Amino acid sequence: MDISVVIPLYNEDESLPELHAWIDRVMVANNFSYEIIFVNDGSTDRSWDVIRELASKSQHVKGIKFRRNYGKSPALYCGFKAAQGDVVITMDADLQDSPDEIPGLYHMIMDEHYDLVSGYKQKRHDPLSKTIPTKLFNATARKVSGIKNLHDFNCGLKAYRRDVVKNIEVFGEMHRFIPYLAKNAGFDKIGEKVVHHQKRQYGKSKFMGWNRFVNGYLDLMTLWFLGTFGKKPMHVFGFLGTLVFMIGFISAFIIGAEKLWALYCHIPMRLVTDSPFFYIALTMMMIGTQLFLAGFLGDLISRNSAGRNDYQIEEEIKIEQA
Ligand code: UDP
Ligand code: MG
C-alpha cells in the first residue's frame, strides 16, 4: 500500500464527508493505493456515525473510536500503530489542511528520500492570538532540538516514512514535537514543504488559551532532558550535586579558617550564625545531597524501566534471535 492517511479528530462531524471526498479524489487522480484511518478521539457529536457511514461505502476507510477524549497525541499514536502504507500522512480533520498536498509530500519521501516532511503554513489563517505565540515557540523549538530548517513544528499536515511512525512513541501532548522525537530516534533527514492553509469552516479550534503555550515549553524541556540524559540521569544530577555541595563545603571551610584566624590573632570570635557563609554552607550542602539522591533515584528508575534497552536498529544481516 502506498499511503496511509491518519486523521485524529474530536467533534468534527461537519467536515468529515467533505474531507473524505476530497482525499478520495486526490488518491484516485494520482493512482495511489491507500487507506484513510479516522481516529475518533472521544467525540460527543455525530462524528462516529459519519465515519461508520463512510466506511460502509468505501473499503479504504478505517476507523478507531476512543471511549473518551484522550488528546491528539494518543490519537496519532493509535493511528500510527494501525497504518500500513509506505508513507504515512497525518492531517487535521477540520479542512484547514489541503489533501492536494498529498502527492507532493509522498514524492518528497519516496523520491527525495526524506524521513519526515513537515508542512509549513506560511500564510496562516488563524487568529493572531495563536500565530504570535507559535512563532516564538517555533524559534525555541528550533534552538533546543537542533532542527534548524523547520518553521512550523506543530503543523498537523506531515508525511513520514513508515519506519519513522513505527519507531517513535507519541505520548502526552508530544504531537507538537514529532520531528524532535524522530530526530532523537535517529531519523534525521527532516524536510519542510510550504502548504496551503485555510480558515476553519466548521466547528471551533480545540487548542486555545495560554496554557497550551506554557505546556508546550514544559514538554520541550522534558524532551530535551530525555534526549540528553534520559539514559544517564546521574550525569546531570551528580554533576550539579557535586558543584553545589562543593560551594557549601568551601563556605564551611571559610568559617573554620575565620575561627582559626581569630584564635591566632586574639581577636574576639563572632558567632558562626553571624557569618553569611554559615547559611550558604548549610543550604548548599543540603541541596547538593538532595541532588545526588535525585541522581541515584533517577538511575534506579531508568535501570528498571522497560525501555532501558530500546535501541533503534536500522538493519541486520543474518542475525537470528536466540
Ligand atoms: N483533536 C483531537 N483530539 C483533541 C483535540 C483535537 O483529535 O483532543 C484534533 C482535531 O479534531 C483536529 C486536530 O486535532 O482534527 C487539530 O485540532 P484543531 O484544528 O482544533 O487545532 P488548531 O488547528 O486550531 O491548532
Ligand atoms: Mg485546525
Side-chain angles (χ1 to χ4, degrees):
M1 187 187 297
D2 296 327
I3 299 181
S4 298
V5 184
V6 173
I7 303 176
L9 63 114
Y10 178 53
N11 294 344
E12 311 276 7
D13 56 0
E14 290 166 297
S15 319
L16 294 178
E18 207 172 313
L19 180 67
H20 167 255
W22 192 354
I23 296 174
D24 248 3
R25 228 164 34 236
V26 173
M27 295 297 190
V28 171
N30 289 275
N31 242 330
F32 288 130
S33 54
Y34 68 101
E35 62 182 353
I36 306 174
I37 304 174
F38 288 106
V39 188
N40 177 6
D41 182 15
S43 298
T44 50
D45 65 356
R46 289 195 60 255
S47 292
W48 187 245
D49 297 333
V50 176
I51 294 167
R52 278 202 150 155
E53 211 174 293
L54 293 173
S56 70
K57 289 187 206 137
S58 158
Q59 86 272 23
H60 300 292
V61 174
K62 300 173 183 176
I64 297 171
K65 181 185 181 210
F66 284 175
R67 206 175 285 283
R68 46 159 276 213
N69 177 245
Y70 284 107
K72 191 174 175 184
S73 291
L76 285 173
Y77 173 80
C78 291
F80 285 164
K81 271 217 317 216
Q84 292 175 354
D86 297 333
V87 172
V88 178
I89 291 183
T90 59
M91 63 170 65
D92 291 352
D94 54 4
L95 289 166
Q96 289 195 276
D97 301 326
S98 159
D100 288 332
E101 307 285 354
I102 291 175
L105 289 168
Y106 176 82
H107 289 298
M108 281 180 81
I109 301 281
M110 293 312 273
D111 305 331
E112 296 173 41
H113 308 289
Y114 281 101
D115 292 319
L116 186 166
V117 180
S118 178
Y120 172 24
K121 301 164 287 197
Q122 204 164 30
K123 255 200 139 94
R124 220 180 136 168
H125 298 274
D126 277 325
L128 272 187
S129 61
K130 279 191 80 129
T131 51
I132 291 177
T134 302
K135 275 222 160 70
L136 221 72
F137 174 75
N138 277 308
T140 322
R142 267 198 298 277
K143 264 253 149 18
V144 176
S145 68
I147 308 174
K148 302 198 178 64
N149 57 335
L150 283 200
H151 293 87
D152 196 356
F153 277 74
N154 190 17
C155 183
L157 182 55
K158 285 191 172 62
Y160 309 84
R161 182 179 303 289
R162 185 186 29 216
D163 278 355
V164 178
V165 304
K166 298 295 180 189
N167 287 296
I168 58 173
E169 204 170 322
V170 193
F171 59 100
E173 291 184 21
M174 294 295 180
H175 59 266
R176 299 193 179 94
F177 304 105
I178 298 182
Y180 194 12
L181 291 175
K183 187 185 171 222
N184 277 347
F187 300 99
D188 52 7
K189 198 154 189 288
I190 295 172
E192 183 170 82
K193 182 177 191 300
V194 174
V195 295
H196 280 285
H197 188 242
Q198 290 153 95
K199 252 206 165 66
R200 209 181 223 285
Q201 296 179 37
Y202 310 104
K204 52 179 193 289
S205 172
K206 314 298 181 302
F207 296 104
M208 278 302 195
W210 58 271
N211 56 340
R212 167 184 79 96
F213 190 55
V214 175
N215 292 343
Y217 271 102
L218 294 176
D219 283 346
L220 189 62
M221 276 165 54
T222 304
L223 266 194
W224 170 80
F225 187 83
L226 286 179
T228 324
F229 300 108
K231 293 215 193 288
K232 41 184 197 279
M234 192 50 164
H235 288 196
V236 64
F237 289 112
F239 173 75
L240 283 178
T242 310
L243 202 75
V244 171
F245 194 90
M246 282 308 287
I247 295 173
F249 190 77
I250 291 167
S251 302
F253 186 80
I254 292 173
I255 296 174
E258 233 175 39
K259 290 258 165 213
L260 283 178
W261 182 249
L263 210 63
Y264 179 72
C265 300
H266 302 289
I267 36 180
M269 276 187 222
R270 56 177 183 168
L271 289 169
V272 279
T273 47
D274 285 343
S275 162
F277 289 112
F278 172 74
Y279 298 98
I280 298 175
L282 195 68
T283 44
M284 290 298 159
M285 284 163 102
M286 265 160 46
I287 295 173
T289 314
Q290 292 295 319
L291 282 169
F292 246 101
L293 276 177
F296 281 127
L297 283 177
D299 263 12
L300 207 67
I301 292 167
S302 83
R303 224 140 275 215
N304 286 303
S305 80
R308 68 184 174 280
N309 274 326
D310 283 350
Y311 308 110
Q312 294 287 336
I313 294 173
E314 192 174 356
E315 223 178 306
E316 290 178 357
I317 294 175
K318 290 186 191 159
I319 299 293
E320 274 160 44
Q321 305 296 341

